[in-house]
Amino acid sequence: MKYIVGNWKSNKKSEGVADWFGDFGQVYRKRAGVEVVVAPSWVHLSMADQARKELSGVKLASQDVSPFPFGAYTGAVAAEMIKGMVEYAIVGHSERRRYFHETDQEVANKVKQVKEVGIVPLVCVDVDYAKSQLAAIEDSAGLIVAYEPLEAIGTGNPQDPGEVEKVVAEIKQMEEGLSVLYGGSVNENNVGEYLEVEGVDGLLVGGASLKADSFSAIVEAA
Ligand code: PGA
C-alpha cells in the first residue's frame, strides 16, 4: 500500500475546498494499492467529509488534534470530535513543533488520544530527533511515520533520494512494523524518484496538494 497524503495547512477558504473537490472529482479514479488522504483544516472537515462521499476511497486526515480528551480546554479540538469524519490525524508536524512549541510529550499525548478513538496517527519526525520523538510514544503499534527533513519542507529542495532511503531504513529499525512516508518538496515532476525509494511507503505532500491537478498527477504516479 502506498499512502499519498495532501496537507493543505492554513491555505484554503470554503470556496477553495469546494473547488478542489470539484476539480479532483473530474480526474480522480480509485486505484488498488493507493490510499489517497487529504488533510483540510478543522473548519472544513465537515464539508470535505460530504464532498469525499462522491469520491470512492478518498480518506481524510486532521492536521492536528488536542492532546487532551473532551473537557474544559478552550480552543482545542478533541479526537472524539473528529472521530467519524477522519481516518487519520497528522500529529507533530514540524510547523507545529516550531511555531506552536509542541513537545515530544505533547505529540505522544496526541497519539494516545487519536488511537483511543480509532484514528490512525501520522507522526511527523525529522532526522536528528526521530529517535527521541518516537521514544516518547508509549505504544507505537499501527503508527505511520512521516520523515520530513526541515530543509526540504516548502523550499523546493527535496532531500536526495539516496539520503531518504538511508534515513527511512534507520527509522524502520527503531520500531518494527512502522510504515514510513517521505515529505518535503515532492511535486508532480519529482514524485517518481521518491516512490521508487526502497522502504518508502508513501508521500506527505504540502504545496503540490493544493491544486487538484498536481495532486492528481502525484496520485496517478503511485
Ligand atoms: P511541502 O510540504 O510539500 O510543501 O514541502 C510538506 C509538508 O510540510 O508536509
Side-chain angles (χ1 to χ4, degrees), residues 176-191:
E176 222 174 286
L178 290 178
S179 296
V180 182
L181 318 186
Y182 167 72
S185 296
V186 173
N187 59 38
E188 64 273 43
N189 301 318
N190 63 24
V191 57

Side-chain angles (χ1 to χ4, degrees), residues 7 9 93-95 124 148 152-156 183-186 204-208:
N7 175 10
K9 309 187 180 183
H93 191 281
S94 62
E95 287 152 13
C124 302
E148 298 211 301
I153 298 177
T155 58
S185 296
V186 173
L204 180 53
V205 184

